[in-house]
Amino acid sequence: MSEQLASAIARLKAPARQGLFGRLRRGIEKEGLRVNADGQISQTSHPRALGSKLTHPYITTDYSESLLEYITPVFTRPKDSLEFLADLHRFSYRNLGDELIWPASMPPRLNGNDSVPIADYGTSNSGTMKHIYRKGLDVRYGRIMQSIAGIHYNFSLPDDFWVLLQRLEGAEGEDARDFRSRRYFELIRNFRRHSWILLYLFGASPGVDESFLDGGNDDRLKRQADRSLVSAYATSLRMSDLGYQNKVQAQLKICFNSLDNFVGTLRHAIVTPWKDYEKLGVKQTDGSWSQLSSSILQIENEYYSDIRPKRVTKQNETPSQALEGRGVEYIEVRCLDLNPFLPLGIDETQIRFLDTFLIWCLLTESPWIDDEECANLDNSKRRVVEAGRDPSLTLNVKGEERKLREIAANVMDELGEVAGLLDGDDKAGSAHRDALAALAPRFDQPDSTPSGRLLTSMIDNGSNFVDEVMGLARGQAEQFKAEPMERARGYLLDQLVETSLQQQGDIEAGDHQDFDTFMAEYFASAHATQPA
């Protein structure tokens, strides 16, 4: 263990015993496609009985009209986050008819690009902007890539933790906001160095339905049954170049060395035109919009990354302006596949591991990442997503090729020390150490990982990807339909349906600008260092 990590753990043990880490703040965003009884992506509109996807705080859609997105409030106890998420599923199943929520990250059976319907958010300027942004994603990357789903895990530490850490590190002279942002970026850099561990442990997409390639082929995949393509050792095809990858964005080279670097690079990307996107055109001859702009990024949300620094935005404020003005508030982990064997796609064991891993990333020394290391980290991630379960796989660490399992064993030892710190409060029990103990065997037993389990089940059953996942979806649907909702939450969700629909109507009725003027004012404000 490094001297810095050992010192940090020693200094934090007493506050940990007093409950310091019992107030970690967590939120979950979970996506899931609606599918019909035949395992095909739904072509129906977002159910009105779920409320307005424009204004509902907890139930919305992501790219597609069929791609449900659930957003939990922030909780300090994992079980509260999970129970809220479960009630969102239970509520939805009251209103989905025969449709199912697809529990895997890679999509079900598709019928070409146009079979993925783009989400419609109504006639307001803000709703139209959201729709056109998604049209832009279509013309740039295609809709099929946007049908992929995942889990986003939002994590932050309480204010009193930061006050204590700043004092323990002798940094009282540094602005508190700057200190917090600097240390969050140190966490993010270490996350990038070691996110392959999460891809190995929690990756759950070793195969796809052949329709995902839309008539194409990939020599790295082999046929399974009659309609599926799989990779023998892949952990997360979702995070491979088949999924959320973009060669244009790769040139941005954001390695998260500082808040200024991150914000400056994003701002450059939204004001810098890209020749191929200029050829696509922003507006067509009939006046309709095909994308919001011809820049490298239409808006900041288009940037794909496995982790992001975040802050809740105010009205008329972009994410970068919020970060620049008030610093980092929390981080969003974005590299997590849905675990199709879990009804919620995630469980408390995974949450406890993530918390341990993120605190370890924070407390371990984290030098800046230069261009050479940045490229090497991307290569390590590629190796793990494509062949992480290969027992012979090696990763390059400071110029030396080392076995993945050897590197993981060293990291797990250090994580064990951090887990002990998080379990330091007598009331906490051993939840974090138990999570590590439950997951550690996966490094020696690759078939016990979610990706290994799914592939093994497909091979043993001689089944296609869609058939295998549909069986899981049906079982989970029956479970959610049979389970009661927490009464007060059920009442809240019932009320939010009408409230959100009314809010959308009010927004639409209150719009008095034409859309072109609305967008001109938006970009004038978004391109400024602070909102106008």
Side-chain angles (χ1 to χ4, degrees), residues 477-488:
E478 292 306 312
Q479 175 182 331
F480 285 125
K481 289 177 181 178
E483 292 173 343
M485 291 183 62
E486 198 277 326
R487 183 175 299 177

Side-chain angles (χ1 to χ4, degrees), residues 141 145 238-247 304 381:
Y141 321 118
M145 187 178 84
R238 167 182 174 263
M239 294 298 295
S240 74
D241 58 9
L242 287 174
Y244 287 128
Q245 302 296 320
N246 182 275
K247 293 179 181 178
Y304 298 122
K381 185 176 77 171

Side-chain angles (χ1 to χ4, degrees), residues 8-26 76-77 155-168 180 352 355 359 362-363 418 420-428 432:
I9 290 174
R11 289 181 292 173
L12 289 170
K13 278 185 176 178
R17 285 194 293 269
Q18 298 170 5
L20 177 66
F21 293 104
R23 296 184 294 278
L24 297 178
R25 294 166 57 82
R26 311 163 175 91
T76 57
R77 298 193 305 175
F155 172 90
S156 65
L157 293 120
D159 291 343
D160 54 354
F161 171 86
W162 292 110
V163 172
L164 173 64
L165 188 66
Q166 188 167 6
R167 178 173 61 80
L168 290 176
R180 184 179 305 198
R352 296 290 185 181
D355 292 344
I359 295 295
L362 176 69
L363 299 181
V418 175
L421 181 67
L422 296 180
D423 291 336
D425 183 355
D426 290 339
K427 297 179 182 178
H432 298 89

Side-chain angles (χ1 to χ4, degrees), residues 398-414:
K398 297 180 179 179
E400 177 187 359
E401 291 291 328
R402 296 174 57 192
K403 287 283 189 72
L404 178 149
R405 282 186 288 179
E406 174 191 338
I407 305 169
N410 293 335
V411 173
M412 291 295 282
D413 285 344
E414 294 192 359

